[in-house]
Amino acid sequence: KAAFCGNIRDFAVLAKCDGAFNRVKWSAFNDVKDWVTSATTMSDSQDLPDGGLITGFVGGEYGIVFQERAITRMSFEGPPTIFRFDKVSQTLGCRVEGSIAAFDNKTFFLADDGFYMLYAGADPVPIGSDKVNDWIESNLDSNYLYRVTSAIDPLRQLYIMSFPGGSASS
């Protein structure tokens, strides 16, 4: 059981799983049915001890694990380590689970202080400037953050987020 799933290369990856809200778990190499921890199949898990609850996961050639107060890049390394976990940020995280959207090498998300973009899993770049960040803060109803969704329109090169507004009725 997990809140988030994806893949990194030939591994299925689960995040915020098994009742542990800071755990990442991956399947055996090229076998999504095998989740038994094994050095032979390379299936294992990792708890992220700091950064708070996991708020999202994006997979691909590498993985990005978002937490409340941290962002970690998960890179395949092979045995015996299997995956290397590198902190991209030790203080900035994703505030709203549904705000994460990715396309190509770009990942967008909403943090406590506004919108950010990660390019190729590197340092977060603020993209909301004062006006956009101020507008979303004054219009987003924080009682219903679980209703936030987002997507990428690659043709028009847009990051789109739907959210409950403070002035909306139920």
Side-chain angles (χ1 to χ4, degrees):
K1 297 178 184 178
F4 309 103
C5 64
N7 71 296
I8 300 175
R9 303 175 112 197
D10 295 308
F11 295 88
V13 179
L14 303 176
K16 196 174 182 181
C17 53
D18 295 336
F21 299 122
N22 65 336
R23 180 170 295 148
V24 178
K25 187 172 183 149
W26 55 92
S27 71
F29 178 79
N30 208 23
D31 186 355
V32 298
K33 295 177 186 174
D34 185 356
W35 293 87
V36 177
T37 299
S38 165
T40 304
T41 66
M42 297 188 278
S43 178
D44 206 349
S45 65
Q46 176 72 42
D47 289 345
L48 305 175
D50 54 0
L53 304 176
I54 292 175
T55 56
F57 173 79
V58 174
E61 186 65 24
Y62 52 86
I64 301 171
V65 182
F66 290 91
Q67 292 175 268
E68 295 169 309
R69 296 173 308 281
I71 302 169
T72 304
R73 181 179 165 130
M74 189 175 164
S75 304
F76 179 71
E77 207 170 61
T81 311
I82 314 303
F83 284 99
R84 185 179 70 240
F85 291 82
D86 298 310
K87 290 279 189 192
V88 173
S89 172
Q90 295 189 31
T91 56
L92 181 72
C94 177
R95 171 181 163 204
V96 181
E97 292 181 3
S99 71
I100 300 169
F103 179 75
D104 204 15
N105 283 330
K106 298 178 184 108
T107 305
F108 301 87
F109 65 98
L110 180 60
D112 285 333
D113 62 344
F115 289 100
Y116 283 82
M117 178 188 74
L118 283 177
Y119 182 74
D123 295 328
V125 177
I127 60 168
S129 72
D130 295 330
K131 192 172 189 177
V132 173
N133 291 339
D134 291 345
W135 185 87
I136 196 72
E137 279 307 310
S138 63
N139 286 283
L140 175 64
D141 187 339
S142 60
N143 293 314
Y144 300 100
L145 294 179
Y146 63 92
R147 292 184 176 174
V148 172
T149 60
S150 59
I152 301 290
D153 179 346
L155 296 177
R156 296 189 295 167
Q157 299 181 2
L158 298 172
Y159 162 65
I160 303 164
M161 186 177 88
S162 69
F163 63 92
S167 62
S169 62
S170 65

Short mmCIF file of all heavy atoms in Angstrom, two decimals, residues 1-29 31-38 41-48 54 56-59 63-65 74 81-83 85:
data_model
loop_
_atom_site.label_atom_id
_atom_site.label_comp_id
_atom_site.label_asym_id
_atom_site.label_seq_id
_atom_site.Cartn_x
_atom_site.Cartn_y
_atom_site.Cartn_z
N LYS A 1 0.84 -1.17 0.00
CA LYS A 1 0.00 0.00 0.00
C LYS A 1 0.89 1.24 0.00
O LYS A 1 1.84 1.29 0.76
CB LYS A 1 -0.89 0.02 1.23
CG LYS A 1 -1.87 -1.13 1.29
CD LYS A 1 -2.67 -1.08 2.56
CE LYS A 1 -3.57 -2.29 2.64
NZ LYS A 1 -4.32 -2.30 3.89
N ALA A 2 0.57 2.19 -0.85
CA ALA A 2 1.38 3.40 -0.94
C ALA A 2 0.53 4.57 -1.45
O ALA A 2 -0.45 4.36 -2.16
CB ALA A 2 2.58 3.18 -1.85
N ALA A 3 0.95 5.76 -1.11
CA ALA A 3 0.27 6.96 -1.60
C ALA A 3 0.76 7.34 -2.99
O ALA A 3 0.01 7.92 -3.76
CB ALA A 3 0.49 8.12 -0.62
N PHE A 4 2.02 7.02 -3.32
CA PHE A 4 2.61 7.41 -4.59
C PHE A 4 3.33 6.23 -5.22
O PHE A 4 3.92 5.41 -4.51
CB PHE A 4 3.60 8.57 -4.40
CG PHE A 4 3.01 9.70 -3.62
CD1 PHE A 4 3.33 9.88 -2.28
CD2 PHE A 4 2.12 10.58 -4.21
CE1 PHE A 4 2.77 10.92 -1.55
CE2 PHE A 4 1.56 11.62 -3.50
CZ PHE A 4 1.88 11.79 -2.16
N CYS A 5 3.30 6.17 -6.54
CA CYS A 5 4.03 5.11 -7.23
C CYS A 5 4.59 5.64 -8.54
O CYS A 5 4.13 6.65 -9.07
CB CYS A 5 3.15 3.90 -7.48
SG CYS A 5 1.78 4.20 -8.58
N GLY A 6 5.59 4.96 -9.03
CA GLY A 6 6.23 5.33 -10.29
C GLY A 6 7.29 4.31 -10.60
O GLY A 6 7.30 3.21 -10.04
N ASN A 7 8.17 4.67 -11.49
CA ASN A 7 9.27 3.77 -11.79
C ASN A 7 10.56 4.56 -11.91
O ASN A 7 10.55 5.74 -12.24
CB ASN A 7 9.02 2.98 -13.07
CG ASN A 7 9.11 3.87 -14.30
OD1 ASN A 7 8.32 4.79 -14.46
ND2 ASN A 7 10.08 3.62 -15.15
N ILE A 8 11.64 3.89 -11.60
CA ILE A 8 12.99 4.39 -11.88
C ILE A 8 13.66 3.28 -12.66
O ILE A 8 13.86 2.18 -12.15
CB ILE A 8 13.78 4.70 -10.60
CG1 ILE A 8 13.08 5.75 -9.76
CG2 ILE A 8 15.20 5.15 -10.95
CD1 ILE A 8 13.74 6.02 -8.42
N ARG A 9 13.91 3.59 -13.93
CA ARG A 9 14.50 2.60 -14.83
C ARG A 9 13.70 1.31 -14.80
O ARG A 9 12.53 1.31 -15.17
CB ARG A 9 15.96 2.39 -14.50
CG ARG A 9 16.75 3.69 -14.56
CD ARG A 9 18.17 3.52 -14.12
NE ARG A 9 19.04 3.71 -15.27
CZ ARG A 9 20.27 3.33 -15.32
NH1 ARG A 9 20.81 2.70 -14.30
NH2 ARG A 9 21.01 3.57 -16.37
N ASP A 10 14.28 0.20 -14.34
CA ASP A 10 13.61 -1.10 -14.35
C ASP A 10 13.04 -1.51 -12.99
O ASP A 10 12.84 -2.70 -12.73
CB ASP A 10 14.59 -2.17 -14.83
CG ASP A 10 15.00 -1.94 -16.27
OD1 ASP A 10 14.11 -1.78 -17.12
OD2 ASP A 10 16.22 -1.88 -16.53
N PHE A 11 12.77 -0.54 -12.13
CA PHE A 11 12.23 -0.80 -10.80
C PHE A 11 10.89 -0.08 -10.65
O PHE A 11 10.77 1.09 -11.02
CB PHE A 11 13.18 -0.27 -9.71
CG PHE A 11 14.50 -0.96 -9.66
CD1 PHE A 11 15.56 -0.51 -10.44
CD2 PHE A 11 14.70 -2.06 -8.83
CE1 PHE A 11 16.80 -1.13 -10.40
CE2 PHE A 11 15.94 -2.69 -8.78
CZ PHE A 11 16.98 -2.22 -9.57
N ALA A 12 9.92 -0.75 -10.05
CA ALA A 12 8.70 -0.07 -9.60
C ALA A 12 9.03 0.53 -8.23
O ALA A 12 9.74 -0.09 -7.43
CB ALA A 12 7.55 -1.05 -9.49
N VAL A 13 8.54 1.73 -7.98
CA VAL A 13 8.87 2.42 -6.74
C VAL A 13 7.58 2.89 -6.07
O VAL A 13 6.70 3.45 -6.72
CB VAL A 13 9.80 3.63 -6.99
CG1 VAL A 13 10.11 4.35 -5.69
CG2 VAL A 13 11.08 3.19 -7.68
N LEU A 14 7.49 2.65 -4.76
CA LEU A 14 6.38 3.13 -3.95
C LEU A 14 6.92 4.13 -2.93
O LEU A 14 8.02 3.95 -2.42
CB LEU A 14 5.72 1.97 -3.21
CG LEU A 14 5.19 0.81 -4.05
CD1 LEU A 14 4.65 -0.30 -3.16
CD2 LEU A 14 4.13 1.30 -5.02
N ALA A 15 6.14 5.15 -2.65
CA ALA A 15 6.56 6.15 -1.66
C ALA A 15 5.40 6.43 -0.70
O ALA A 15 4.24 6.41 -1.11
CB ALA A 15 6.99 7.44 -2.36
N LYS A 16 5.75 6.71 0.54
CA LYS A 16 4.78 6.90 1.62
C LYS A 16 3.99 5.61 1.76
O LYS A 16 2.80 5.55 1.56
CB LYS A 16 3.87 8.09 1.34
CG LYS A 16 3.10 8.60 2.54
CD LYS A 16 2.34 9.87 2.17
CE LYS A 16 1.60 10.44 3.34
NZ LYS A 16 0.86 11.65 2.96
N CYS A 17 4.72 4.53 2.11
CA CYS A 17 4.13 3.20 2.05
C CYS A 17 4.24 2.42 3.35
O CYS A 17 5.00 2.77 4.24
CB CYS A 17 4.74 2.39 0.92
SG CYS A 17 6.52 2.32 0.94
N ASP A 18 3.47 1.35 3.40
CA ASP A 18 3.47 0.40 4.52
C ASP A 18 3.20 1.08 5.86
O ASP A 18 3.75 0.68 6.89
CB ASP A 18 4.79 -0.36 4.59
CG ASP A 18 5.02 -1.26 3.39
OD1 ASP A 18 4.03 -1.64 2.77
OD2 ASP A 18 6.19 -1.57 3.10
N GLY A 19 2.40 2.13 5.89
CA GLY A 19 2.09 2.83 7.13
C GLY A 19 3.22 3.72 7.62
O GLY A 19 3.10 4.37 8.65
N ALA A 20 4.33 3.75 6.91
CA ALA A 20 5.46 4.62 7.26
C ALA A 20 5.44 5.79 6.29
O ALA A 20 5.66 5.60 5.09
CB ALA A 20 6.77 3.86 7.18
N PHE A 21 5.17 6.96 6.77
CA PHE A 21 4.97 8.11 5.91
C PHE A 21 6.25 8.75 5.40
O PHE A 21 6.23 9.75 4.72
CB PHE A 21 4.11 9.15 6.63
CG PHE A 21 2.76 8.61 6.98
CD1 PHE A 21 2.32 8.60 8.29
CD2 PHE A 21 1.93 8.09 6.00
CE1 PHE A 21 1.08 8.10 8.61
CE2 PHE A 21 0.69 7.58 6.31
CZ PHE A 21 0.25 7.59 7.62
N ASN A 22 7.39 8.11 5.70
CA ASN A 22 8.68 8.58 5.19
C ASN A 22 9.46 7.45 4.52
O ASN A 22 10.66 7.53 4.37
CB ASN A 22 9.51 9.19 6.32
CG ASN A 22 9.90 8.17 7.38
OD1 ASN A 22 9.24 7.14 7.53
ND2 ASN A 22 10.95 8.45 8.10
N ARG A 23 8.75 6.41 4.08
CA ARG A 23 9.41 5.24 3.49
C ARG A 23 9.25 5.20 1.97
O ARG A 23 8.19 5.44 1.43
CB ARG A 23 8.82 3.96 4.07
CG ARG A 23 9.46 2.68 3.49
CD ARG A 23 9.05 1.44 4.23
NE ARG A 23 9.57 1.54 5.59
CZ ARG A 23 8.97 1.01 6.65
NH1 ARG A 23 7.84 0.35 6.53
NH2 ARG A 23 9.51 1.15 7.86
N VAL A 24 10.36 4.83 1.31
CA VAL A 24 10.39 4.56 -0.13
C VAL A 24 10.77 3.09 -0.29
O VAL A 24 11.69 2.61 0.37
CB VAL A 24 11.42 5.46 -0.85
CG1 VAL A 24 11.46 5.14 -2.33
CG2 VAL A 24 11.12 6.92 -0.62
N LYS A 25 10.04 2.39 -1.15
CA LYS A 25 10.28 0.96 -1.34
C LYS A 25 10.33 0.68 -2.84
O LYS A 25 9.59 1.28 -3.60
CB LYS A 25 9.14 0.18 -0.69
CG LYS A 25 9.33 -1.30 -0.68
CD LYS A 25 8.24 -1.95 0.17
CE LYS A 25 8.50 -3.44 0.22
NZ LYS A 25 8.06 -4.04 1.43
N TRP A 26 11.23 -0.23 -3.25
CA TRP A 26 11.30 -0.56 -4.67
C TRP A 26 11.28 -2.06 -4.88
O TRP A 26 11.70 -2.83 -4.03
CB TRP A 26 12.53 0.08 -5.33
CG TRP A 26 13.84 -0.24 -4.69
CD1 TRP A 26 14.68 -1.27 -5.01
CD2 TRP A 26 14.46 0.46 -3.62
NE1 TRP A 26 15.78 -1.24 -4.20
CE2 TRP A 26 15.68 -0.18 -3.34
CE3 TRP A 26 14.11 1.58 -2.85
CZ2 TRP A 26 16.54 0.25 -2.33
CZ3 TRP A 26 14.97 2.01 -1.85
CH2 TRP A 26 16.17 1.35 -1.61
N SER A 27 10.76 -2.44 -6.05
CA SER A 27 10.60 -3.85 -6.40
C SER A 27 11.94 -4.45 -6.80
O SER A 27 12.96 -3.77 -6.91
CB SER A 27 9.63 -3.98 -7.58
OG SER A 27 10.25 -3.49 -8.77
N ALA A 28 11.88 -5.74 -7.09
CA ALA A 28 13.04 -6.42 -7.65
C ALA A 28 13.31 -5.87 -9.04
O ALA A 28 12.41 -5.33 -9.70
CB ALA A 28 12.79 -7.92 -7.71
N PHE A 29 14.55 -6.01 -9.50
CA PHE A 29 14.92 -5.54 -10.83
C PHE A 29 14.05 -6.22 -11.89
O PHE A 29 13.98 -7.45 -11.95
CB PHE A 29 16.40 -5.85 -11.08
CG PHE A 29 16.88 -5.46 -12.45
CD1 PHE A 29 17.18 -4.14 -12.74
CD2 PHE A 29 17.00 -6.41 -13.45
CE1 PHE A 29 17.61 -3.78 -14.01
CE2 PHE A 29 17.43 -6.06 -14.72
CZ PHE A 29 17.72 -4.73 -15.00
N ASP A 31 10.97 -6.78 -12.13
CA ASP A 31 9.92 -7.69 -11.66
C ASP A 31 9.01 -6.97 -10.67
O ASP A 31 9.28 -6.93 -9.47
CB ASP A 31 10.55 -8.93 -11.01
CG ASP A 31 9.52 -9.98 -10.63
OD1 ASP A 31 8.30 -9.74 -10.77
OD2 ASP A 31 9.93 -11.06 -10.18
N VAL A 32 7.93 -6.41 -11.16
CA VAL A 32 7.02 -5.63 -10.30
C VAL A 32 6.23 -6.49 -9.32
O VAL A 32 5.57 -5.95 -8.44
CB VAL A 32 6.04 -4.77 -11.14
CG1 VAL A 32 6.79 -3.76 -11.98
CG2 VAL A 32 5.15 -5.64 -11.99
N LYS A 33 6.31 -7.80 -9.45
CA LYS A 33 5.59 -8.70 -8.54
C LYS A 33 6.42 -9.07 -7.31
O LYS A 33 5.88 -9.59 -6.34
CB LYS A 33 5.17 -9.97 -9.27
CG LYS A 33 4.17 -9.72 -10.37
CD LYS A 33 3.85 -11.01 -11.09
CE LYS A 33 2.95 -10.75 -12.28
NZ LYS A 33 2.75 -11.96 -13.07
N ASP A 34 7.72 -8.84 -7.35
CA ASP A 34 8.62 -9.25 -6.28
C ASP A 34 9.02 -8.05 -5.42
O ASP A 34 9.76 -7.17 -5.88
CB ASP A 34 9.85 -9.93 -6.88
CG ASP A 34 10.80 -10.49 -5.82
OD1 ASP A 34 10.53 -10.30 -4.61
OD2 ASP A 34 11.79 -11.12 -6.21
N TRP A 35 8.52 -8.03 -4.18
CA TRP A 35 8.82 -6.93 -3.25
C TRP A 35 9.56 -7.41 -2.01
O TRP A 35 9.72 -6.67 -1.05
CB TRP A 35 7.52 -6.22 -2.86
CG TRP A 35 6.91 -5.52 -4.03
CD1 TRP A 35 6.06 -6.04 -4.96
CD2 TRP A 35 7.16 -4.18 -4.43
NE1 TRP A 35 5.74 -5.10 -5.89
CE2 TRP A 35 6.40 -3.94 -5.60
CE3 TRP A 35 7.94 -3.14 -3.92
CZ2 TRP A 35 6.40 -2.72 -6.26
CZ3 TRP A 35 7.93 -1.92 -4.57
CH2 TRP A 35 7.17 -1.72 -5.73
N VAL A 36 10.00 -8.67 -2.01
CA VAL A 36 10.72 -9.22 -0.87
C VAL A 36 12.15 -8.66 -0.88
O VAL A 36 12.85 -8.75 -1.88
CB VAL A 36 10.76 -10.77 -0.95
CG1 VAL A 36 11.57 -11.34 0.21
CG2 VAL A 36 9.35 -11.33 -0.95
N THR A 37 12.55 -8.08 0.25
CA THR A 37 13.89 -7.51 0.35
C THR A 37 14.93 -8.59 0.08
O THR A 37 14.92 -9.65 0.71
CB THR A 37 14.11 -6.90 1.75
OG1 THR A 37 13.14 -5.86 1.94
CG2 THR A 37 15.50 -6.34 1.91
N SER A 38 15.82 -8.31 -0.90
CA SER A 38 16.81 -9.30 -1.29
C SER A 38 17.98 -8.62 -1.99
O SER A 38 17.78 -7.81 -2.90
CB SER A 38 16.17 -10.32 -2.24
OG SER A 38 17.16 -11.07 -2.90
N THR A 41 17.90 -9.85 -5.82
CA THR A 41 16.94 -9.22 -6.75
C THR A 41 17.01 -7.70 -6.70
O THR A 41 16.43 -7.03 -7.54
CB THR A 41 15.50 -9.65 -6.43
OG1 THR A 41 15.13 -9.12 -5.15
CG2 THR A 41 15.36 -11.16 -6.47
N MET A 42 17.68 -7.16 -5.70
CA MET A 42 17.87 -5.72 -5.46
C MET A 42 16.62 -5.02 -4.94
O MET A 42 16.55 -3.80 -4.92
CB MET A 42 18.40 -5.00 -6.71
CG MET A 42 19.77 -5.48 -7.13
SD MET A 42 20.51 -4.50 -8.44
CE MET A 42 19.72 -5.18 -9.88
N SER A 43 15.61 -5.75 -4.50
CA SER A 43 14.43 -5.14 -3.89
C SER A 43 14.76 -4.72 -2.46
O SER A 43 15.42 -5.46 -1.73
CB SER A 43 13.28 -6.15 -3.87
OG SER A 43 12.15 -5.59 -3.24
N ASP A 44 14.32 -3.53 -2.07
CA ASP A 44 14.64 -3.03 -0.73
C ASP A 44 13.76 -1.83 -0.42
O ASP A 44 12.86 -1.49 -1.19
CB ASP A 44 16.12 -2.66 -0.65
CG ASP A 44 16.68 -2.73 0.78
OD1 ASP A 44 15.89 -2.87 1.73
OD2 ASP A 44 17.91 -2.64 0.92
N SER A 45 14.05 -1.16 0.68
CA SER A 45 13.34 0.06 1.06
C SER A 45 14.30 0.99 1.79
O SER A 45 15.38 0.58 2.22
CB SER A 45 12.14 -0.27 1.94
OG SER A 45 12.55 -0.81 3.18
N GLN A 46 13.87 2.24 1.91
CA GLN A 46 14.69 3.24 2.61
C GLN A 46 13.75 4.19 3.33
O GLN A 46 12.81 4.71 2.74
CB GLN A 46 15.54 4.02 1.61
CG GLN A 46 16.35 5.14 2.21
CD GLN A 46 17.52 4.64 3.02
OE1 GLN A 46 18.21 3.70 2.63
NE2 GLN A 46 17.75 5.24 4.17
N ASP A 47 14.00 4.40 4.62
CA ASP A 47 13.27 5.42 5.38
C ASP A 47 14.08 6.71 5.33
O ASP A 47 15.29 6.68 5.51
CB ASP A 47 13.06 4.99 6.83
CG ASP A 47 12.06 3.86 6.97
OD1 ASP A 47 11.32 3.58 5.99
OD2 ASP A 47 12.00 3.25 8.05
N LEU A 48 13.39 7.81 5.06
CA LEU A 48 14.03 9.12 5.04
C LEU A 48 13.81 9.75 6.40
O LEU A 48 12.69 10.18 6.71
CB LEU A 48 13.45 9.97 3.91
CG LEU A 48 13.52 9.31 2.51
CD1 LEU A 48 12.82 10.17 1.48
CD2 LEU A 48 14.96 9.06 2.12
N ILE A 54 6.37 12.26 3.36
CA ILE A 54 6.52 12.29 1.91
C ILE A 54 5.26 12.89 1.32
O ILE A 54 4.14 12.50 1.66
CB ILE A 54 6.78 10.88 1.35
CG1 ILE A 54 8.17 10.39 1.81
CG2 ILE A 54 6.68 10.86 -0.17
CD1 ILE A 54 8.50 8.96 1.41
N GLY A 56 5.14 13.51 -2.25
CA GLY A 56 5.07 13.18 -3.67
C GLY A 56 6.29 12.45 -4.15
O GLY A 56 7.33 12.41 -3.49
N PHE A 57 6.14 11.86 -5.34
CA PHE A 57 7.22 11.13 -5.97
C PHE A 57 7.10 11.29 -7.48
O PHE A 57 6.01 11.20 -8.04
CB PHE A 57 7.17 9.64 -5.61
CG PHE A 57 8.16 8.81 -6.36
CD1 PHE A 57 9.49 8.79 -5.98
CD2 PHE A 57 7.78 8.07 -7.48
CE1 PHE A 57 10.42 8.04 -6.69
CE2 PHE A 57 8.69 7.32 -8.19
CZ PHE A 57 10.02 7.30 -7.79
N VAL A 58 8.24 11.49 -8.14
CA VAL A 58 8.30 11.54 -9.61
C VAL A 58 9.42 10.60 -10.03
O VAL A 58 10.53 10.66 -9.51
CB VAL A 58 8.60 12.98 -10.11
CG1 VAL A 58 8.80 12.98 -11.61
CG2 VAL A 58 7.49 13.93 -9.71
N GLY A 59 9.12 9.70 -10.96
CA GLY A 59 10.11 8.73 -11.42
C GLY A 59 10.62 9.04 -12.81
O GLY A 59 10.31 10.07 -13.39
N GLY A 63 14.68 9.24 -9.57
CA GLY A 63 13.45 9.58 -8.84
C GLY A 63 13.64 10.84 -8.04
O GLY A 63 14.75 11.19 -7.64
N ILE A 64 12.54 11.54 -7.81
CA ILE A 64 12.55 12.69 -6.93
C ILE A 64 11.50 12.45 -5.86
O ILE A 64 10.33 12.23 -6.17
CB ILE A 64 12.23 14.00 -7.68
CG1 ILE A 64 13.24 14.23 -8.79
CG2 ILE A 64 12.22 15.17 -6.71
CD1 ILE A 64 12.88 15.38 -9.71
N VAL A 65 11.95 12.44 -4.61
CA VAL A 65 11.06 12.23 -3.48
C VAL A 65 10.86 13.58 -2.79
O VAL A 65 11.82 14.22 -2.35
CB VAL A 65 11.64 11.22 -2.46
CG1 VAL A 65 10.67 10.99 -1.32
CG2 VAL A 65 12.00 9.91 -3.15
N MET A 74 16.79 10.29 -6.03
CA MET A 74 17.03 8.86 -5.86
C MET A 74 17.62 8.33 -7.16
O MET A 74 16.95 8.28 -8.18
CB MET A 74 15.67 8.20 -5.56
CG MET A 74 15.69 6.79 -5.16
SD MET A 74 13.98 6.30 -4.74
CE MET A 74 14.20 4.54 -4.77
N THR A 81 24.61 -0.95 -2.84
CA THR A 81 23.75 0.14 -2.38
C THR A 81 22.40 0.16 -3.07
O THR A 81 21.41 0.52 -2.47
CB THR A 81 24.45 1.50 -2.62
OG1 THR A 81 25.77 1.43 -2.14
CG2 THR A 81 23.73 2.62 -1.95
N ILE A 82 22.31 -0.16 -4.31
CA ILE A 82 21.15 -0.16 -5.21
C ILE A 82 20.79 1.28 -5.58
O ILE A 82 20.95 1.68 -6.71
CB ILE A 82 19.93 -0.92 -4.66
CG1 ILE A 82 20.32 -2.28 -4.09
CG2 ILE A 82 18.85 -1.04 -5.75
CD1 ILE A 82 21.03 -3.19 -5.05
N PHE A 83 20.28 2.05 -4.63
CA PHE A 83 19.94 3.45 -4.90
C PHE A 83 20.70 4.39 -3.98
O PHE A 83 20.87 4.10 -2.80
CB PHE A 83 18.43 3.71 -4.75
CG PHE A 83 17.62 3.20 -5.89
CD1 PHE A 83 16.97 1.98 -5.80
CD2 PHE A 83 17.52 3.92 -7.07
CE1 PHE A 83 16.22 1.49 -6.87
CE2 PHE A 83 16.78 3.45 -8.14
CZ PHE A 83 16.13 2.23 -8.03
N PHE A 85 20.69 8.16 -2.32
CA PHE A 85 19.74 9.21 -1.95
C PHE A 85 20.52 10.48 -1.66
O PHE A 85 21.27 10.55 -0.69
CB PHE A 85 18.93 8.78 -0.71
CG PHE A 85 17.97 7.66 -1.00
CD1 PHE A 85 18.41 6.34 -1.02
CD2 PHE A 85 16.65 7.93 -1.26
CE1 PHE A 85 17.53 5.30 -1.29
CE2 PHE A 85 15.75 6.90 -1.53
CZ PHE A 85 16.19 5.59 -1.55
#
